[in-house]
Each structure stands twice: as structure tokens, then as C-alpha cells.
Amino acid sequence: MTDIEIRDVLGRATDDLQPPPDLLERVRTGGRRRVARRRTVLAAAVATAAAGTGAAVSARSGHDALPYARLHRPTRGDMAGDTAFLDQVAGIWRARLGADTILGRPHVAWAMSTPAGPVAVVSSRAMPGHGRPYGWTGFVSGEHVVSVEALRPGVVNSEALLAGPDRSTLVVVDGGRPLSFSSDLRYDAGGRVGRVFRPVTLDADGVMVVPVVPQPDRIRTALRTGTTAVRPAGVEPPSPPALLSRLLPGRERAWGDDAAVSPELLAAWELRQRDVYGDPYGVHGGPPGTYWCIRGSTADARRVLVQTLVLDQDVRVFRTVSATTTGTPVYLGLLNSPETIAVLRVRLPDSLGVVVAASGATLRYRTASADWLTVTGDAALLPAAARFLEVTPPGGRMFRVPLS
Amino acid sequence: MADGFDDFVRSRSTGLLRIAFLLTGDRHAAEDLLQEVLEQMYVRWRRIDGAPEAYARRALVNRSTNRWRTRTRRPEAPLAHHDRVAPDHSDDIAVRDAVVTALRALPPRQRAAVVLRYLDDLPVSEVARAMDCSEGTVKSNAARGLHHLRHVLAPMSLLVTEDS
């Protein structure tokens, strides 16, 4: 192979590599952290020297400096002196990770008592090996390892934990950045999400322990640093439901051709694109078959949009009916559908009809006295006279619901 | 932050990532390495003597010496989108696999010499600065590394020829 061919294959092997789009931001964040830590270490060195202990403190950057404070800083917290507990936690950590993956004795960075029982933050060096990070860190609550995260430069490890079987105790340790938290979320009369954030106030050991709402089934507490959401340790974001978008027959009467409906117009109508209706700092999923966006037209050519917004089991229902370009969404409350699959039923004002939907189901309806009539698709705008809906879920048993 | 750092990152990070990838053999390791070096430069920006790019290359070479890894998925990270095989680029994937395998067999200094000379097309003098060695050492390391690559990558020349 010629030199040119060598150059070519090296080029081809790397041509498509691109750095992450947020690299600069990450570098700046990590760089500022290095600067802050360097100052902290130097200040500690000055204080130590002044105290005459003679302890040596290194101010080198790189792997030996913070963010690996979790590996080197003396244990803090009200249980820092409980050697039996520290030994127990180290043993739990070693058993969880495996003795062949960690190097040396696990180090307990924090050990504190909480209403949910004792909680510790543990770190350990990783046994050198292919694909391994510098170390590992995580929370241990009672006898349970809640989280295991890699220690890597520039990566901020989880500093918050929702402890207890009902996750009603928020534990926060010092991660070097200001945090605030919101115990719970609320919906206002318009269906918008409201949260009240309070600053995280750490004690002298760099710990905060506060009660929050019990949340055994879903995460209601949120944390943030600035405008960035912070996820509690050990919490994996649940899967959001798929959006079920339905365009009803006859919609062109009100909306015109689909091709003429601009993204800007839809953004004005679709609430999922508006931050005030979402919860960007929370951790949410939702049951399938509940996330709807149904667009149609009334008989008199008014635009209709029935939509839901899903935060876990809370399915907020909205309708918008308007003869003009824009419309005001009306919040109808949370979906209450105890049936085997969620059935959406929204009666429109002015006897304009009833919007119904049930994901993947076969639908029929009837008025007070007539026979059952077939519905095309799993979503429709029925006449105002419709009184009952028959739902046959895919592979399920048929049931009927009133359309009040 | 002094002027120029942001521009430097934006303009040179792609090229530096490619060097880091061939020095480490692993995409994630390369990104870690690059970020680490850039953070270091962020802290020292005003005190960097000479061209920042030369400083970056030298830091990449120094830090990569012990970071060569096999191309296995990191256990704590899921596949990122860039790790998925693009079905219509199978030739390029084969080339990359072969190149990484071939470079893996080289000692770190030979690997660095080859990557800097032939990926980045640097003059011998610049490579010597990055590797903190003499130009003669660069030439001998590059020559030995090339000898191995030519032997291992010779079948790749067919792919190169067909695409040219």
C-alpha cells in the first residue's frame, strides 16, 4: 500500500466521526468545575498547613483531583463514626459490584441517618481493565444498593436519592452545584403544571434530608440545577406513551388541505408543544393508549382538537373548538376510565357532537333508540345524539359505556 | 474565558476526536479523552504556549498511552445512535474495523506516530513535538508502524481502488 492509500484508509475509518453537539458546553462545565475544585483543594492545603497537621494535599488536575472527591474525602454525615455501619456498607457494595471489579476497599463518602433508615454514598476504584471507568459510585439505602454510576471526568454523579419504600425522604449530598427541589406538582384550573421549587440547603457535612410526598408508584418530586433537570439516583425514566394522532374524516372543512396546515399553526393548537403544560423537571411515563391528539371539524366547519397530556397516571383532557385561526383550550379534568382500555369521551359544546377514542378498538355507537352503527377507525366525532358507545378492544371482550 | 477557546473547540474538535479515536480504538474512550484534554485546556488557556492544537495533540498522545481498549460496549452505557451499524456503509465499517484492529497491534508510540503523520498529515517536526521526541524517533516509529499496517491492511487497498 502506498502512503496515499494508508492516508485514505485512516481517513475512511474516521470520516463520519463527529463530536457530540453539546461538547463545548460540557467542556465549559467540566472546566469550571476543575477550576473550582482546584481552588477548594488549594484552600484546604492552606488551611491544613495553617493548622499544622502536615497533611499533604495535591493540587494536580486529572484523575487524582476532584470529581474523585468521593474516593478521597473523609467520610461525612452523622454516621461517619459508626465503623460497624461503614464496614457493613462497604461489604454490601463489594458484594453488589463483585470483588473482581473493584480495586481496594470501598470508600464511604457520606453516611447519615434518615427517617427512611441509614443512607450512604459509596465509591470505589475500578479494577483496571478494558472498557472500565476510573471508579464507581452510588447510593446504598439500608442493605440495598440503589445506584451504581461510573466515575468519569466531567460527569456529575447523582447527588440526590428518594429513600424509603414510599420514597418519602429526599436525601441530597454536595455535588458541587446549586440545586433546588419541588416536593410535588399541581394542576391549575387550566390544566397547566405548577411546581414550587425551594433551594437545597446543605448542612456542614454537605447533606440535606427532608420529607417529601409519599410516592410509591410514581415520582412526584423534581430537582433541578438552574434550568437543567436532575434525576434522583436509581430512577430510570419510565417509557412515555406513544402519541396517538388521529385526523378525522371531513377535517378539511375547517382546516383546509392537510398540506396547508403549517407546523406553526399546529404549534398554536397542540398543548404538548407548550412548556407550561409539561413538567420538564419531573420523571414521568404513562400508560399506553392514553396520549391522544385528535383533529377534526364540526358539521358547521369549526375546528376541533381534542387532546390529552399524560404524566404517569394523570391523563389531562382538553378540548378546543373554534371557528377562527386560534382557539382557547378548555381543560376538562383528568381522564377517568376504569375500563380495560382507556376510553376517551369528550362531549363538545353547542350540541356539536361527541369525540370518542379507544386505541386499536372496534367502535360502534347508537342513539337512544336506534340500532348500533359502525364507526370507522378507533377515533371519531359522533353526532350529538349519540348516547352509547360499544368498545371491542383488540383481542379483548366487548363492553359498552354511556356518552353522557 | 479568553477569546478563542470556543472557536478552537468548535473548529478543531472534530479533527481531534478522530485522532483520539485512532489512538484509543474506542468511540466512547475517544470522547472521554477529548473532553478531558479540552477541559484541561480550558483551565490553562491563557498559559498555553504556542499553538493550542499542538498542545492538544500532545495531551492526547500522552493521555492515550494507557487507555487503549478493546471495542466492547461499556457496561453502564447503552448504545448511542452512532454505535448502530448503518446498513448502507458496510464497506466503511469493514475499513474501520480493520484499521482499529491493525492499530491495536502496534505499540503506543508507533501508533501515535502513524496516526499523527498519516491521518493528520503532520510534518515530522510537528509529530516530534506532539510525541516529545526527536524527529529521528518519529521516523523510525512511523516506519515500523507503517510496515505492519501495510501488511495487515493490504486487502483494504481493493476497497480503496474500487471507490476511487
Side-chain angles (χ1 to χ4, degrees), chain A residues 232-251:
Chain A
V235 172
E236 289 302 317
S239 301
L243 176 65
L244 304 169
S245 180
R246 298 292 184 265
L247 302 177
L248 301 183
R251 62 191 176 276

Side-chain angles (χ1 to χ4, degrees), chain A residues 288 337-343 391-393 396-399:
Chain A
S337 178
E339 296 84 12
T340 51
I341 64 169
V343 179
V391 180
T392 306
R397 181 171 291 187
M398 178 270 289
F399 59 90

Side-chain angles (χ1 to χ4, degrees), chain A residues 138-200:
Chain A
F139 279 86
V140 176
S141 179
E143 297 183 3
H144 175 54
V145 175
V146 177
S147 62
V148 178
E149 300 173 1
L151 280 171
R152 291 186 186 278
V155 172
V156 177
N157 294 109
S158 296
E159 63 256 77
L161 171 72
L162 290 167
D166 57 357
R167 295 187 284 208
S168 61
T169 300
L170 175 63
V171 180
V172 183
V173 297
D174 186 8
R177 54 184 182 175
L179 293 184
S180 55
F181 76 100
S182 162
S183 177
D184 200 359
L185 73 160
R186 297 280 186 269
Y187 306 117
D188 68 8
R192 289 172 288 262
V193 175
R195 281 195 179 273
V196 176
F197 280 88
R198 293 157 48 195
V200 167

Side-chain angles (χ1 to χ4, degrees), chain B residues 16-160:
Chain B
L16 293 171
L17 177 65
R18 293 172 183 176
I19 295 173
F21 174 73
L22 292 184
L23 291 178
T24 61
D26 177 84
R27 171 64 188 261
H28 297 293
E31 287 186 1
D32 284 352
L33 175 61
L34 175 63
Q35 182 169 333
E36 195 176 319
V37 166
L38 290 176
E39 284 182 14
Q40 193 180 30
M41 294 180 71
Y42 176 93
V43 175
R44 299 175 181 171
W45 186 250
R46 288 191 181 87
R47 301 192 301 274
I48 291 177
D49 262 336
E53 177 138 11
Y55 181 98
R57 284 195 292 266
R58 186 166 175 162
L60 287 175
V61 169
N62 287 340
R63 288 178 173 274
S64 72
T65 302
N66 295 318
R67 291 173 73 118
W68 184 261
R69 302 176 186 187
T70 55
R71 288 171 63 250
T72 55
R73 188 191 310 181
R74 292 185 304 178
E76 76 283 3
L79 274 175
H81 68 275
H82 49 256
D83 285 342
R84 297 199 175 104
V85 174
D88 55 342
H89 293 102
S90 53
D91 283 353
D92 289 340
I93 300 295
V95 169
R96 179 183 298 174
D97 282 354
V99 166
V100 169
T101 301
L103 287 172
R104 181 188 301 142
L106 297 179
R109 303 288 281 175
Q110 290 182 21
R111 187 189 315 136
V114 167
V115 170
L116 293 175
R117 277 284 286 149
Y118 293 94
L119 175 72
D120 238 18
D121 221 7
L122 291 180
V124 173
S125 57
E126 285 297 319
V127 178
R129 282 184 60 189
M131 294 178 61
D132 195 21
C133 64
S134 69
E135 293 187 18
T137 302
V138 169
K139 289 176 186 174
S140 63
N141 275 312
R144 290 193 204 110
L146 268 187
H147 177 76
H148 174 78
L149 288 186
R150 284 192 175 113
H151 174 71
V152 171
L153 296 178
M156 290 294 115
S157 64
L158 294 176
L159 287 174
V160 170

